[in-house]
Amino acid sequence: MAVESSNDIYALPEDCLATALSLTSPKDVCRLSAVASTFRSASQSDTVWARFLPSDYLHIISRALDGGDSLLSNFHSKKDLYLHLCDHPLLIDDGRKSFQLEKLSGKKCCMLSARDLSIVWGDTPQYWRFLSLPESRFPEVAELLDVCWFEIRGKIEMSMLSLGTNYAAYLVFTCRSMVHGFDHQSAEGYVKVSGSESEKRSVCLDPDGARKRRHQLVPRRVGLFYRRLTQMRNPEAMLPEEEPEDPKQRGDGWMEVELGECFVEEGQDGELEVSVMEVKGGHWKSGIIIQGIEIRPKESQ
């Protein structure tokens, strides 16, 4: 039966409306549910929210610490399960990763815990130590005690991400005491798909780095001598420096700094590789606590 006017859409069966809503987005469904009671009823249908859940959500939930059965049994509708996965990161793979959905789009978000990262000297107690913090979503975090060579790497299967999506990776950290050594030299962040080249991004791991750069004073003669000496030793060091990405405060009380971004194409497989390092300055560094590296859809600017 043809729909002759805009009012006729309200005469459609609820299952037809639910199918139509499932072709939109979670954000659109929430808006349409406020338009009329007919839409509101259809927006509760499992037909709608099953479409917004990732096709492999059952497999991902099965990797939860408790196997996922208790989680599934707690929710009698796909909408409730969807909202729970948006608001409560799910620990998977023995608590070494977390999985979450972006509420407005349903895109996958993942965080690699400190235990799931490759940290140079991370198994040496005099340089790093693992401890528990109640504010962390993971059982353990990594505290930097004292290193000269700072290097952290992580990787994740592309299947854990939503295809056709631009992602950014963020180092999530906090500070227990004074941060030392990161104000002398910016760190370098890299994000790439395995087998491809990545672009370097300059990042600052000192929470007070922006203020220090604004008030940094170098005596004119000392500065001139330093620049000439640096130019003789390393001509590339005299190229204009990129303004580093500064850390930002998160809603959960932690800080994060963006390491780079990458578009995940349709049909793409392999791994997404992320790294952050500072190995050029030669300064000893300490004072930050790493929760992990979060990979989530890049917000539109």
Side-chain angles (χ1 to χ4, degrees), residues 79-141:
K79 180 181 179 181
D80 289 342
L81 176 60
Y82 176 91
L83 294 176
H84 180 83
L85 292 175
C86 292
D87 296 331
H88 302 86
L90 178 67
L91 294 187
I92 61 174
D93 298 347
D94 298 321
R96 299 171 72 93
K97 295 184 183 73
S98 73
F99 172 80
Q100 196 171 9
L101 295 178
E102 187 182 62
K103 184 172 288 186
L104 295 183
S105 68
K107 301 285 188 179
K108 297 177 179 177
C109 309
C110 296
M111 186 187 287
L112 310 177
S113 71
R115 278 293 189 189
D116 208 41
L117 300 173
S118 174
I119 302 177
V120 173
W121 301 110
D123 56 353
T124 306
Q126 70 190 79
Y127 299 132
W128 289 87
R129 70 166 176 166
F130 286 87
L131 68 155
S132 298
L133 289 182
E135 59 267 33
S136 172
R137 69 178 63 174
F138 298 110
E140 291 182 303
V141 296

Side-chain angles (χ1 to χ4, degrees), residues 64-257:
L65 283 172
D66 62 356
D69 291 340
S70 62
L71 175 64
L72 293 173
S73 64
N74 286 337
F75 300 100
H76 302 294
S77 75
K78 294 292 193 297
K79 180 181 179 181
D80 289 342
L81 176 60
Y82 176 91
L83 294 176
H84 180 83
L85 292 175
C86 292
D87 296 331
H88 302 86
L90 178 67
L91 294 187
I92 61 174
D93 298 347
D94 298 321
R96 299 171 72 93
K97 295 184 183 73
S98 73
F99 172 80
Q100 196 171 9
L101 295 178
E102 187 182 62
K103 184 172 288 186
L104 295 183
S105 68
K107 301 285 188 179
K108 297 177 179 177
C109 309
C110 296
M111 186 187 287
L112 310 177
S113 71
R115 278 293 189 189
D116 208 41
L117 300 173
S118 174
I119 302 177
V120 173
W121 301 110
D123 56 353
T124 306
Q126 70 190 79
Y127 299 132
W128 289 87
R129 70 166 176 166
F130 286 87
L131 68 155
S132 298
L133 289 182
E135 59 267 33
S136 172
R137 69 178 63 174
F138 298 110
E140 291 182 303
V141 296
E143 182 178 13
L144 172 58
L145 300 178
D146 209 17
V147 296
C148 182
W149 187 285
F150 178 85
E151 181 176 351
I152 298 176
R153 296 182 179 273
K155 59 178 62 175
I156 189 169
E157 293 289 338
M158 301 292 281
S159 60
M160 288 294 294
L161 306 175
S162 299
L163 302 180
T165 303
N166 193 45
Y167 276 90
Y170 303 83
L171 182 71
V172 181
F173 67 102
T174 189
C175 308
R176 172 168 287 185
S177 57
M178 183 70 69
V179 177
H180 176 73
F182 289 105
D183 53 341
H184 301 294
Q185 179 82 31
S186 298
E188 297 172 351
Y190 300 86
V191 177
K192 70 172 185 176
V193 178
S194 54
S196 65
E197 294 187 3
S198 60
E199 294 184 3
K200 180 180 70 174
R201 177 171 298 190
S202 179
V203 298
C204 177
L205 300 184
D206 187 338
D208 205 23
R211 185 192 64 81
K212 290 179 180 178
R213 289 197 303 274
R214 287 195 302 269
H215 297 88
Q216 189 176 32
L217 296 176
V218 179
R220 189 173 185 276
R221 294 192 179 189
V222 174
L224 180 62
F225 172 76
Y226 175 78
R227 286 194 295 271
R228 288 177 176 174
L229 180 61
T230 302
Q231 188 173 29
M232 288 187 292
R233 290 180 174 178
N234 183 11
E236 292 184 359
M238 295 307 295
L239 296 175
E241 291 187 3
E242 173 191 358
E243 187 70 16
E245 187 87 16
D246 286 312
K248 296 178 175 62
Q249 195 75 28
R250 292 162 52 101
D252 59 6
W254 291 76
M255 289 176 291
E256 67 179 21
V257 63

